Amino acid sequence: MATIKDVAGAAGVSVATVSRVLNDNGYVHEETRTRVTAAMEKLNYYPNEVARSLYKRESRLIGLLLPDITNPFFPQLARGVEDELQREGYRLIFGNSDEHLEKELEYLQTFKQNQVAGMIAATNYPDLAEYSGMEQPVVFLDRTPEGAPSVYSDGRTGGKIAAEEILRGNSKCITLFKGPAHLPTAQERFSGALDVLRHADVNFQIITTASFSFKDAQTSAKELFAAYPNTDGVIASNDIVAAAVLHEALQQEKRVPEDIQIIGYDDIPQSELLFPPLSTIRQPAYDMGKEAAKLLLNIIKKQPLKETAIQMPVTFIKRKTTRKGD
Amino acid sequence: MATIKDVAGAAGVSVATVSRVLNDNGYVHEETRTRVTAAMEKLNYYPNEVARSLYKRESRLIGLLLPDITNPFFPQLARGVEDELQREGYRLIFGNSDEHLEKELEYLQTFKQNQVAGMIAATNYPDLAEYSGMEQPVVFLDRTPEGAPSVYSDGRTGGKIAAEEILRGNSKCITLFKGPAHLPTAQERFSGALDVLRHADVNFQIITTASFSFKDAQTSAKELFAAYPNTDGVIASNDIVAAAVLHEALQQEKRVPEDIQIIGYDDIPQSELLFPPLSTIRQPAYDMGKEAAKLLLNIIKKQPLKETAIQMPVTFIKRKTTRKGD
């Protein structure tokens, strides 16, 4: 592998000059720069990123912290982040926190030790001193604090639309799922829906789901029909819960949407393949990831920022588990 | 933040001694080591990983290359890898190749530049000179070459079982899906199934899917019923394709499994929530990830290896889209 000395030799300049070109600091004549760059290309020279990072005290690594990549909402988000970073030559160090504080702190620590250029975090603990005390910029994603750079979608409006659609389809005995209490995003969509139901002329009941795991979704769906067999409309806390409810409803030979309407949240790719295909509230997960990466890179490059708290729109995706709006 | 000097001062030893403890090289008296470790803990000292990595020419980073994390088979695999590495203090640099050679090479290059301790790659190009020429150990995952350290599941047997189950349920006009031609894993399960069908007393036809994307799965499912409306048994190339076929069959008011049996491949978590729940061939994705990480760490630590090509078993998961075997 070619070294910096080889490049200097081939370009007929000093190692210090090559270093100035590499690190883009100090004056280098344009013609010299072109010669050095050409030599690098010819020799297939790649600077050692670790050495560069030590020297410049920065790197082209970005830390990405997610709750759990096996929750089908997050792969899209991660792809959005990665695709944007990849185009700009940045790479991801990646970890799942499982929403455990200790694991999160451990990842933050190692992100710092590896001198990441910045971080993108989907966290339930945005107010940790570890975040505010970071030298590197942090963009919060999906689960976001006040005031800090962040990208999120409008959960309250999402919940509101979900409830309105179920009412529009004329359900009279509605079950509203309340997602995990410790997840602000789950609580926002819940509150949005609750506000609408509370002012409507319908009966409704609330079931809490302990997590967004597949197993808990199945348990909650069974609980729903045992406790409230007359339910004719369900506002689920996410698409996984909605899929489990749909499964259970069909199992009990209810017709969907004739006997019971179901609406999900997220619009994960699988929801379109359910039968009937799931009506849901779409969060633009991929675009949220992309926006977060763009925002972080702009902060790293000290670009002027138009906004630092970017709210992404949610949209109702009408499929076949709700009745009206055809 | 505490420095190496602070640690040396607190432990009453030289910086060189602390460095020997940190890097685990050279002689250090046991009692001294204990004192240094205690001082590190007391001062909450974390070595700068970048500096260490430069010095030792190694790091605690592992490169993970996947085709596409949004394919629902891969998040499980990635979690298996991460959970095992995390316990051992290693971190992941992560990239999706999208099965593009150029993108893969770019990631390999940056993994090397960041001096990863090793790599885990799910690649279609295991024979690249870039892999065999790597200083760092590589473990191939899922899509694997001969002779190299690898973890994979038994695709041929998986395909064989899938076909046998469809025959056991008495389908007489079977459609066999052939996954993307460039994916050896897809071709193995296809060959396994084909061998069984070819020797059975049934009609069958083959449909090729261009990719494992959601969109292509839907297209293929529609194509299936347009071209072969009499199909009464489907062996899908993965669970996404099976879900799309199930969707289309129900759309056409076919009864599953009475009129048509469907069997998937992978057993992604979503398959249990379909209705009827999907019968499928299970690959132990999470465990495959875990085994790959274990194997890589053993190679990095120069542990004796029992085997370097680890084949994981596949199993038939009987649910409700196939008829026999109750």
Side-chain angles (χ1 to χ4, degrees):
Chain A
M1 208 165 115
T3 67
I4 191 167
K5 272 193 188 171
D6 301 333
V7 174
V13 300
S14 70
V15 166
T17 302
V18 178
S19 165
R20 280 205 296 279
V21 172
L22 273 176
N23 294 296
D24 206 20
N25 65 0
Y27 175 74
V28 183
H29 193 283
E30 201 44 48
E31 189 266 337
T32 312
R33 183 183 304 275
T34 312
R35 226 161 61 222
V36 169
T37 318
M40 284 180 193
E41 259 177 47
K42 196 178 147 214
L43 295 173
N44 212 6
Y45 169 77
Y46 295 94
N48 177 319
E49 282 288 330
V50 175
R52 265 187 81 173
S53 140
L54 188 67
Y55 172 71
K56 298 186 70 179
R57 293 197 60 80
E58 70 174 48
S59 75
R60 303 218 131 214
L61 291 175
I62 301 289
L64 174 65
L65 190 80
L66 296 180
D68 183 4
I69 193 79
T70 66
N71 170 336
F73 176 66
F74 289 112
Q76 301 286 333
L77 208 70
R79 272 312 301 249
V81 170
E82 188 210 345
D83 287 357
E84 189 63 29
L85 292 180
Q86 196 260 348
R87 292 197 312 131
E88 301 275 336
Y90 284 80
R91 295 294 176 262
L92 278 181
I93 310 190
F94 167 69
N96 293 299
S97 69
D98 289 322
E99 298 170 0
H100 291 166
L101 180 56
E102 203 171 297
K103 222 173 147 189
E104 180 159 340
L105 289 174
E106 202 180 307
Y107 270 115
L108 288 186
Q109 188 60 51
T110 53
F111 288 169
K112 280 195 273 184
Q113 284 170 262
N114 284 291
Q115 293 177 357
V116 294
M119 269 195 62
I120 295 175
T123 172
N124 297 326
Y125 310 101
D127 301 320
L128 283 179
E130 277 73 8
Y131 285 113
S132 48
M134 263 210 163
E135 278 175 56
Q136 297 98 334
V138 182
V139 168
F140 293 97
L141 183 53
D142 185 38
R143 307 175 181 185
T144 61
E146 291 279 318
S150 53
V151 175
Y152 58 99
S153 77
D154 186 356
R156 183 166 274 274
T157 300
K160 191 168 158 286
I161 300 174
E164 285 166 355
E165 290 298 332
I166 289 293
L167 290 176
R168 207 190 311 282
N170 251 323
S171 289
K172 290 295 179 198
C173 177
I174 297 170
T175 297
L176 169 60
F177 277 90
K178 183 173 179 295
H182 64 284
L183 297 188
T185 50
Q187 293 319 303
E188 269 174 30
R189 65 187 76 152
F190 168 71
S191 305
L194 184 61
D195 276 355
V196 171
L197 293 186
R198 151 193 297 159
H199 296 108
D201 185 23
V202 293
N203 294 328
F204 69 96
Q205 53 271 342
I206 291 161
I207 289 186
T208 298
T209 45
S211 82
F212 278 151
S213 76
F214 289 90
K215 275 276 157 273
D216 282 339
Q218 286 173 294
T219 310
S220 303
K222 287 200 169 70
E223 190 189 329
L224 157 67
F225 290 106
Y228 310 108
N230 296 329
T231 292
D232 66 354
V234 173
I235 302 166
S237 42
N238 73 358
D239 281 0
I240 297 295
V241 171
V245 170
L246 174 59
H247 179 109
E248 200 56 29
L250 296 171
Q251 179 74 41
Q252 303 207 3
E253 304 193 342
K254 291 176 193 284
R255 293 168 308 155
V256 180
E258 294 83 353
D259 301 334
I260 181 170
Q261 299 190 92
I262 302 168
I263 190 164
Y265 205 99
D266 283 346
D267 195 27
I268 59 175
Q270 291 84 342
S271 298
E272 199 178 346
L273 294 183
L274 295 173
F275 192 84
L278 186 69
S279 297
T280 189
I281 304 296
R282 177 164 210 271
Q283 292 199 75
Y286 181 83
D287 290 336
M288 287 167 69
K290 249 182 131 66
E291 285 301 321
K294 274 188 200 164
L295 179 58
L296 182 62
L297 291 180
N298 281 338
I299 296 172
I300 290 172
K301 294 173 180 171
K302 302 190 166 53
Q303 303 283 319
L305 303 173
K306 264 194 296 190
E307 45 181 356
T308 56
I310 300 173
Q311 182 178 278
M312 309 282 286
V314 294
T315 40
F316 173 54
I317 304 293
K318 164 88 185 137
R319 294 201 186 100
K320 302 283 184 192
T321 58
T322 47
R323 290 192 286 252
K324 277 286 169 75
D326 290 313
Chain B
M1 208 167 115
T3 67
I4 192 167
K5 272 193 188 170
D6 300 333
V7 174
V13 300
S14 69
V15 166
T17 303
V18 178
S19 164
R20 281 204 297 278
V21 172
L22 273 176
N23 295 297
D24 205 18
N25 67 358
Y27 176 73
V28 182
H29 194 283
E30 202 43 49
E31 190 265 338
T32 311
R33 182 183 306 276
T34 312
R35 225 160 60 222
V36 169
T37 319
M40 283 179 192
E41 260 177 46
K42 198 179 145 214
L43 295 172
N44 212 5
Y45 170 76
Y46 294 94
N48 178 318
E49 283 289 331
V50 174
R52 266 187 80 174
S53 141
L54 188 68
Y55 172 72
K56 299 186 70 178
R57 293 196 60 79
E58 71 175 46
S59 75
R60 302 218 132 213
L61 291 175
I62 302 288
L64 173 65
L65 190 81
L66 296 180
D68 183 4
I69 194 78
T70 66
N71 170 335
F73 177 66
F74 289 112
Q76 302 285 331
L77 208 70
R79 273 310 303 248
V81 171
E82 188 210 347
D83 287 356
E84 190 63 28
L85 293 181
Q86 196 260 347
R87 292 196 313 131
E88 301 275 336
Y90 285 80
R91 296 293 177 262
L92 279 181
I93 310 192
F94 168 69
N96 293 299
S97 69
D98 288 324
E99 297 170 1
H100 292 168
L101 180 56
E102 203 171 299
K103 222 174 147 190
E104 180 159 341
L105 288 173
E106 202 180 306
Y107 270 116
L108 289 186
Q109 188 60 51
T110 52
F111 289 170
K112 279 195 272 185
Q113 283 170 261
N114 283 291
Q115 293 178 357
V116 294
M119 268 196 61
I120 296 175
T123 171
N124 296 327
Y125 310 102
D127 301 321
L128 284 179
E130 275 73 9
Y131 284 113
S132 48
M134 263 211 164
E135 278 175 54
Q136 296 98 333
V138 182
V139 168
F140 294 97
L141 184 53
D142 185 39
R143 307 174 181 186
T144 61
E146 291 278 317
S150 53
V151 175
Y152 58 100
S153 77
D154 186 356
R156 185 165 271 275
T157 300
K160 193 168 156 285
I161 300 173
E164 285 167 355
E165 290 297 331
I166 289 293
L167 291 176
R168 207 190 310 281
N170 253 322
S171 290
K172 290 295 179 198
C173 177
I174 296 170
T175 298
L176 169 59
F177 277 90
K178 183 173 179 295
H182 64 284
L183 297 188
T185 51
Q187 294 317 304
E188 270 174 27
R189 65 186 76 153
F190 168 72
S191 305
L194 184 62
D195 276 356
V196 171
L197 292 185
R198 153 193 295 161
H199 296 108
D201 185 22
V202 292
N203 295 329
F204 68 96
Q205 53 271 344
I206 291 160
I207 289 187
T208 299
T209 45
S211 82
F212 278 152
S213 76
F214 289 89
K215 275 276 156 276
D216 282 340
Q218 285 173 295
T219 310
S220 303
K222 287 200 168 69
E223 189 189 329
L224 157 68
F225 290 107
Y228 310 109
N230 296 328
T231 293
D232 66 353
V234 174
I235 302 166
S237 41
N238 73 358
D239 281 0
I240 296 294
V241 172
V245 170
L246 174 59
H247 179 109
E248 200 57 29
L250 295 171
Q251 179 74 42
Q252 305 207 1
E253 303 191 345
K254 291 177 193 282
R255 292 168 309 156
V256 180
E258 294 82 355
D259 301 334
I260 181 170
Q261 300 189 92
I262 302 168
I263 190 164
Y265 205 98
D266 283 345
D267 195 26
I268 58 176
Q270 291 84 340
S271 298
E272 199 178 345
L273 295 184
L274 295 174
F275 191 84
L278 186 69
S279 298
T280 189
I281 304 297
R282 176 164 210 272
Q283 293 199 75
Y286 181 83
D287 290 337
M288 287 167 69
K290 248 181 130 65
E291 285 302 320
K294 274 187 200 166
L295 179 57
L296 181 62
L297 291 180
N298 282 337
I299 297 172
I300 290 171
K301 294 174 181 171
K302 302 190 165 51
Q303 302 284 318
L305 304 171
K306 266 195 296 192
E307 45 181 356
T308 57
I310 300 175
Q311 183 178 276
M312 309 282 286
V314 294
T315 40
F316 172 55
I317 304 292
K318 163 88 185 138
R319 293 199 187 102
K320 303 283 184 192
T321 58
T322 48
R323 290 192 285 253
K324 276 286 169 74
D326 293 312

